[in-house]
């Protein structure tokens, strides 16, 4: 699910067609924007204007492709991009979701302000997990970074143990041949 401005906020490039507009409402034609990975299913033809059936919806929905956007990696930078399609929030029939907000100022204080504004309009709406995109990136990259640091430490320890072993073998061999060397 997405609204107008979603793709621009996340920096996803429009490759063909258009993204959502305010005219894509529940009463208009059911539309979808697909990513480049899903566009490959059209095998080189332009998917804009074609239709596909979303069978997991109740009832199944026929969606018209209005645009193609660049791939994103929602499951982590180390995973391949997956075929995805996006529907306008007004047409999806789903009530939950998240906010993605672009700001020119520092985002840290904005979370509290947005939470207060949401609770002013709807006091019982749960609001949680306010984080910046940079925080999300860092949390995704922290595990591979920690793994790299630990592997480097273990490699360094293994090198030191190896050097100590080689030094001990050479010292023992040299001490056993002291008489031969003396002759």
């Amino acid at each position: 699910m997405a609204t107008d401005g979603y793709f621009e906020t996340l920096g996803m490039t429009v490759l063909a067609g258009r993204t959502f507009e305010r005219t894509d409402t529940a009463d208009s034609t059911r539309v979808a924007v697909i990513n480049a990975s899903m566009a490959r299913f059209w095998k080189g033809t332009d998917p804009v204007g074609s239709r596909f059936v979303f069978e997991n919806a109740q009832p199944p929905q026929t969606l018209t492709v209005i645009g193609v956007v660049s791939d994103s990696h929602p499951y982590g930078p180390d995973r391949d991009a997956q075929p995805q399609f996006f529907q306008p929030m007004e047409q999806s029939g789903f009530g939950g979701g998240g906010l993605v907000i672009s700001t020119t100022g520092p985002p840290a204080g904005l979370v509290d302000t947005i939470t207060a504004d949401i609770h002013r309009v709807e006091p019982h709406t749960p609001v949680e997990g306010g984080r910046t995109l940079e925080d999300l990136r860092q949390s995704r990259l922290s595990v591979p970074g920690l793994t790299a640091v630990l592997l480097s430490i273990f490699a360094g320890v293994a090198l030191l143990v190896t050097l100590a072993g080689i030094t001990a073998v050479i010292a023992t061999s040299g001490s056993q041949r002291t008489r031969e060397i003396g002759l």
Side-chain angles (χ1 to χ4, degrees):
M1 296 170 299
T3 58
D4 56 318
Y6 174 79
F7 304 105
E8 294 82 6
T9 301
L10 290 180
M12 297 171 75
T13 307
V14 178
L15 304 175
R18 67 173 177 88
T19 60
F20 302 128
E21 298 173 349
R22 294 186 188 272
T23 57
D24 296 320
T25 63
D27 298 328
S28 63
T29 303
R30 301 274 179 192
V31 295
V33 172
I34 63 173
N35 69 351
S37 292
M38 187 166 176
R40 290 188 200 110
F41 292 131
W42 275 260
K43 299 187 189 317
T45 62
D46 186 11
V48 176
S50 63
R51 295 177 176 200
F52 67 94
V53 177
F54 178 39
E55 294 181 354
N56 288 348
Q58 296 301 322
Q61 299 176 359
T62 300
L63 304 172
T64 302
V65 178
I66 59 168
V68 180
V69 295
S70 58
D71 286 332
S72 63
H73 296 271
Y75 306 110
D78 57 334
R79 294 185 140 174
D80 292 336
Q82 299 296 313
Q84 292 180 303
F85 71 91
F86 304 87
Q87 285 183 274
M89 180 75 107
E90 293 80 13
Q91 292 182 359
S92 69
F94 182 71
L99 291 175
V100 178
I101 298 171
S102 177
T103 179
T104 55
L110 195 59
V111 173
D112 294 334
T113 304
I114 292 170
T115 301
D117 288 345
I118 291 171
H119 285 151
R120 193 172 319 128
V121 174
E122 185 61 48
H124 302 294
T125 299
V127 179
E128 59 184 35
R131 298 188 298 176
T132 65
L133 285 178
E134 188 57 35
D135 291 343
L136 289 171
R137 281 189 193 104
Q138 291 301 324
S139 68
R140 294 279 187 172
L141 295 175
S142 64
V143 172
L146 177 62
T147 302
V149 168
L150 288 175
L151 284 175
S152 298
I153 290 170
F154 291 143
V157 169
L159 180 64
L160 289 174
V161 168
T162 302
L163 289 175
I166 290 172
T167 303
V169 167
I170 291 173
T172 303
S173 175
S175 68
Q176 289 174 351
R177 294 181 176 210
T178 302
R179 290 184 61 199
E180 294 174 23
I181 294 171
L183 290 176

